[in-house]
Structures are given as structure tokens and as C-alpha cells.
Amino acid sequence: MTKAIYPGTFDPVTKGHVDIVERASKVVDHLTVGVVTGSLKRTLFTVDERIEMFAEAVGHLTNVTVQSYSGLTVNVARAIGADSIVRGLRITSDFEYESEMALMNRRLAEDIETICLFSALEYQILSSSRVKEVAAFGADVSDLVPPNVWKPLVERLDERKKSSS
Ligand code: ADP
């Protein structure tokens, strides 16, 4: 049985992430989405909120589970019996970072492979940070996130705006 982990911050999950999960779930027998907690990045949503939104967005896939993790991805991969790490690539932005990370992970764990997948063309310029940035200024980009994500995103951005003014 082939198992993989798809690690990320997912703050919040976008349709680009879901697209990668759908593709990966066809390639491996079981995919664990690993939602990072305790990283240096300041997040808009708590880890539990990020997990809940992601789990709902991929509820149609029976071989995918979503859980939190902290520390080195390769250690978590070992702990759950995954032999590969899935990452998503956007044509213009991700290659340098992802290849450095993949080679570092190989140095840490020679037996764990990184599998890079490309999302659909329509999601190539999509990132959680860009969605948050434009949504904070009132743009309707609801078509770029799963249906369950848009309302909590707008509400959280509103709360942030009120508490900082
Ligand atoms: P990280 O904090 O690890 O960058 P992200 O949540 O931003 O976490 O992304 C997790 C993974 O998903 C990364 O491999 C990233 O390149 C990939 N990814 C993010 N958005 C897209 C997208 N629109 N298309 C393809 N891959 C994506």
C-alpha cells in the first residue's frame, strides 16, 4: 500500500490545494494532508479551523485524511508510514523553493521521495496569501476557494479589520 503526506500551512485551503489532493489521491493508495502547526508563520486561522475546512473540502475523497503536525515533515512521514511527500507546483513561482526543500528532505531521509504535481492552469496564480490579500480589500474571489471556506474567511478578515482599527 502506498502512502503519502501532503504538508502545508493551508491558511486557508484553496481550490489549488484541493486540485493537488484530487490528483495525488489517484496516484497513491492513501494520502494524509498534514496541516502545519507551530511554524513561524502567523496564521489567520487556528490549526483546528484549517483542518476542519480542509477535511470538509475533500470529504468526497475516501482515501484522504487530514491531521495536524509539527516538526520535520520527514519525521511525520516516517511516523505514519508514508514513503513520499506530495508538493504542488505552480509554473512560475515554486520550482526553486520546492526543489531546495525536496533536496534537503532527501538529505534528511534518503528513502522518502518528493512527488511534485501541477495543479490545473486556472489555479496557477492562486495562493492562500493572494486570496487573503485581495479578499481583505473586498474583492470577491469566492470561486478560488472551496464553498465552505469563503464565509469564514470574510468573517475572520472583518474581525481582524475591526480589532486593528
Ligand atoms: P507552505 O506553507 O508549505 O508553502 P501552502 O499552504 O502555501 O504551504 O502550500 C502547500 C503546498 O501546496 C505547497 O507545495 C505549495 O506549492 C502548493 N500549492 C499552493 N497553492 C497551489 C496552487 N494554486 N497550485 C498548485 N500547488 C499549490
Side-chain angles (χ1 to χ4, degrees), residues 6-7 85-90 93-105 114-116:
Y6 177 39
I85 296 169
V86 168
R87 296 290 283 175
L89 283 189
R90 284 155 294 193
S93 53
D94 293 323
F95 182 77
E96 199 176 331
Y97 177 79
E98 293 297 341
S99 51
E100 281 177 16
M101 186 55 90
L103 291 170
M104 180 57 83
N105 281 334
T114 297
I115 302 175
C116 289

Side-chain angles (χ1 to χ4, degrees), residues 6-11 14-17 20 36 41 86-90 94 97-98 117-119 123-128:
Y6 177 39
T9 312
F10 310 120
D11 184 45
T14 68
K15 284 195 181 171
H17 297 130
I20 294 295
V36 171
K41 283 189 191 172
V86 168
R87 296 290 283 175
L89 283 189
R90 284 155 294 193
D94 293 323
Y97 177 79
E98 293 297 341
L117 297 172
F118 292 94
S119 59
Y123 304 136
Q124 286 294 319
I125 55 154
L126 173 57
S127 67
S128 300

Side-chain angles (χ1 to χ4, degrees), residues 4 86 90 111-112 139 161:
V86 168
R90 284 155 294 193
D111 52 323
I112 296 177
K161 209 190 272 178

Side-chain angles (χ1 to χ4, degrees), residues 44-111:
L44 187 63
F45 292 101
T46 65
V47 67
D48 288 339
E49 290 168 333
R50 284 178 279 140
I51 290 173
E52 199 185 319
M53 285 189 278
F54 211 136
E56 198 178 331
V58 296
H60 57 296
L61 302 167
T62 52
N63 62 340
V64 177
T65 50
V66 186
Q67 66 169 66
S68 71
Y69 87 96
S70 60
L72 289 174
T73 307
V74 289
N75 288 349
V76 183
R78 285 232 173 85
I80 63 171
D83 38 35
S84 54
I85 296 169
V86 168
R87 296 290 283 175
L89 283 189
R90 284 155 294 193
I91 302 169
T92 51
S93 53
D94 293 323
F95 182 77
E96 199 176 331
Y97 177 79
E98 293 297 341
S99 51
E100 281 177 16
M101 186 55 90
L103 291 170
M104 180 57 83
N105 281 334
R106 182 179 288 164
R107 190 169 184 275
L108 297 171
E110 183 69 39
D111 52 323

Side-chain angles (χ1 to χ4, degrees), residues 21-40:
V21 169
E22 285 171 344
R23 289 169 202 281
S25 72
K26 290 183 202 149
V27 179
V28 296
D29 295 318
H30 188 269
L31 182 73
T32 300
V33 175
V35 181
V36 171
T37 175
S39 92
L40 296 177

